[in-house]
Amino acid sequence: MSGLVTGDAVVLGLQPARLPSRALALAIDLVVVWAAYLMVSIGLAVATASLDEAAVMAVSIASFLLVLVGAPIAVETLSHGRSLGKLACGLRVVRDDGGPIRFRHALVRGAMGVVEVLFSFGVIACIASLVSARGRRIGDVFAGTLVVRERVPAARGPMVPPPPPPWLVGRFSGLDLSGVPDTLWLAIRQYLTRMRQLDPAVSWSMAQRLAGDLAARTGTPAPDGVPPAAYLAAVVNERQARDARRAFAAATSGTASSSAPAAAFGPAPVAEAVMPVGRPVTGPDSTTAHHAPAPHPPQAEHPADLADVRPPASPSGFAPPA
């Protein structure tokens, strides 16, 4: 991380570009600019063949200034610090406070680049970048700019607020949170996820201000002796717990309502035909009566087998209590 700090003493997560990536971006820009300059020079040489030597010299100087100096300044101004080489390498020129550059920044960088890049073939710029702690060349120092990396690895996980202290969990279960707007919740979450990156004094003042706004909306101030940041974390944890309980209750009620029709219209029990015992069975063509044998109830091989019978398991995988 860089040492960039805004006016609110917020440490910015900007990574200064290293010398190899900057050198590659500069090489790409120089190839493009010199190719354009050679093409313009050839065209001007053909167009000014009939002019005298002084006119040809004036045209050559003008083309040098316009193509090699003016073109990079115009490109950085219009693209807000992204030339062709920087765009290919994922770099960008920004101000010291992290904001986009303007024309005056690009003008100072371009003017100093004539000396430290064009005339010295980049030697001065390389030495200055190696000496500087943030890899800035002389033009960046005078212009108040910095070359940073735009394409950085993504965070491994989402930014989540830190958990509250254990002794505050559940302490605000009776707090009325219906009057807290979503904008205030968003501001509190952003503060909690980035409070370790803030200056301690600024972090304390922001926590006090947010805690005061939250207390005004809920009607309950923070308890005595509870830091404002811990109070904010405990209230956010309480809101998340309530949201989780509501989501669980909605899911449970939806599951119960969807399973009720299945139970009502399930397969009907099949009636077994029971034949009376000991009564004669006669057919239309039979003259003798036959007695159906009396069915015998099934016998368990071991009495203990009946004791092991349990109710069927529920769909959730848990057996109901015996």
Side-chain angles (χ1 to χ4, degrees), residues 66-312:
L66 288 177
V67 178
L68 295 180
V69 181
I73 294 175
V75 170
E76 283 194 355
T77 302
L78 296 177
S79 63
H80 299 290
R82 287 178 293 184
S83 62
L84 183 60
K86 292 181 178 63
L87 185 63
C89 297
L91 307 181
R92 184 173 184 173
V93 183
V94 297
R95 300 196 306 262
D96 282 341
D97 59 355
I101 64 172
R102 301 179 182 274
F103 172 73
R104 61 184 180 88
H105 303 97
L107 178 61
V108 175
R109 294 186 80 255
M112 296 300 300
V114 175
V115 178
E116 59 177 339
V117 176
L118 295 179
F119 289 168
S120 65
F121 299 99
V123 176
I124 299 178
C126 290
I127 295 176
S129 298
L130 290 174
V131 172
S132 175
R134 292 187 290 179
R136 301 199 300 175
R137 63 181 178 89
I138 299 177
D140 292 321
V141 175
F142 280 97
T145 57
L146 177 70
V147 180
V148 298
R149 297 172 54 189
E150 277 195 316
R151 294 196 293 264
V152 295
R156 295 184 177 180
M159 299 293 291
V160 295
W167 51 274
L168 281 179
V169 176
R171 186 170 180 178
F172 302 99
S173 57
L175 201 63
D176 184 13
L177 305 179
S178 59
V180 183
D182 293 336
T183 54
L184 183 56
W185 287 121
L186 180 60
I188 294 174
R189 285 181 59 89
Q190 290 179 346
Y191 163 74
L192 291 175
T193 54
R194 298 181 62 88
M195 66 179 182
R196 294 185 179 89
Q197 303 176 7
L198 303 177
D199 182 78
V202 175
S203 177
W204 181 265
S205 62
M206 291 183 63
Q208 285 185 326
R209 179 174 58 83
L210 292 173
D213 295 342
L214 185 60
R217 296 287 185 173
T218 58
T220 304
D224 295 336
V226 177
Y231 167 70
L232 295 174
V235 176
V236 169
N237 182 76
E238 175 62 28
R239 188 200 181 195
Q240 292 176 347
R242 295 183 185 181
D243 293 342
R245 286 194 295 267
R246 282 195 295 266
F248 179 76
T252 304
S253 61
T255 304
S257 60
S258 61
S259 61
F265 298 97
V270 179
E272 297 181 357
V274 179
M275 185 173 295
V277 179
R279 300 181 61 181
V281 179
T282 59
D285 298 331
S286 61
T287 57
T288 60
H290 300 278
H291 296 279
H296 298 281
Q299 299 293 332
E301 296 182 1
H302 303 283
D305 295 340
L306 297 178
D308 293 336
V309 177
R310 295 290 183 269

